[in-house]
Amino acid sequence: ADMRGWLTGQPHYELGDELFFDGDGEGPRRLGPGWWYTEWHGTWSRRHAAHVVLPLRHPVPDDLRLDAYVHAPIAPLNRHVEMRVLVGGVEVGTWQMDARDRGGLRQADVPSRLLTPEAVAVITFVIDPTMTPADSRLNSDLRQIGIAVASLRLAEATAPPLDPPPEASPGGV
């Protein structure tokens, strides 16, 4: 996917900064296509693939790590969610969520060679399946949703794990 249009007017992302997707701060400005509006617990993906676009500054360390707090809508009709994580179109991880583990901290190693020549990290979450909360009788929400991202950070691979966001408890459905 060509994300150049999503970079217009975007300041550089400072490697190691935590982004929150609850409506406050810089996180929502980094969302590319594929997301619903922000909510108190984070932002739901709205289709099969959702993108985050992070323009970095040169030079970029060779070995990076993506940390994210995510959760999935688990219900009788949606017992298991698998999310593939790609950077620059190359898969760097697969994150699973089910009734025993609805989400939390997930990590993926990211070689900097997967960034564009302009040092842009195009992160894509591919979610299967997506669901409608109303179909699973969770509530009356008719939106097609995949996963919710509460916070995210791209940092050097040696950085300590990301701390939970203030509202890290799964919610929203």
Side-chain angles (χ1 to χ4, degrees):
D2 185 355
M3 297 292 158
R4 283 180 292 211
W6 295 92
L7 293 171
T8 306
Q10 283 278 5
H12 285 98
Y13 167 74
E14 296 299 331
L15 201 63
D17 280 1
E18 183 172 9
L19 298 174
F20 295 95
F21 296 95
D22 59 1
D24 296 329
E26 193 176 316
R29 290 180 26 211
R30 303 296 187 173
L31 297 176
W35 300 94
W36 288 102
Y37 48 83
T38 58
E39 299 178 58
W40 65 269
H41 61 86
T43 303
W44 288 109
S45 65
R46 67 182 300 154
R47 51 178 87 109
H48 182 62
H51 308 273
V52 177
V53 183
L54 303 177
L56 306 174
R57 293 181 201 280
H58 283 295
V60 177
D62 288 341
D63 299 313
L64 306 173
R65 191 183 70 238
L66 175 67
D67 287 22
Y69 275 88
V70 298
H71 60 268
I74 302 298
L77 294 177
N78 196 53
R79 296 177 187 274
H80 179 266
V81 172
E82 180 174 287
M83 180 167 68
R84 293 172 38 234
V85 183
L86 296 84
V87 176
V90 176
E91 189 167 324
V92 295
T94 302
W95 299 343
Q96 313 277 339
M97 284 156 270
D98 58 28
R100 291 185 313 281
D101 180 7
R102 293 171 182 258
L105 177 64
R106 299 293 191 267
Q107 299 175 306
D109 292 326
V110 178
S112 64
R113 63 179 165 72
L114 300 181
L115 278 54
T116 69
E118 301 79 26
V120 177
V122 178
I123 302 163
T124 304
F125 299 117
V126 179
I127 304 102
D128 189 37
T130 59
M131 58 92 77
T132 301
D135 289 344
S136 287
R137 313 282 190 267
L138 292 173
N139 59 37
S140 59
D141 190 342
L142 295 172
R143 293 177 298 163
Q144 195 75 27
I145 60 175
I147 51 96
V149 176
S151 66
L152 176 148
R153 180 190 69 190
L154 187 63
E156 287 197 58
T158 55
L162 188 60
D163 288 329
E167 296 291 340
S169 59
V173 267

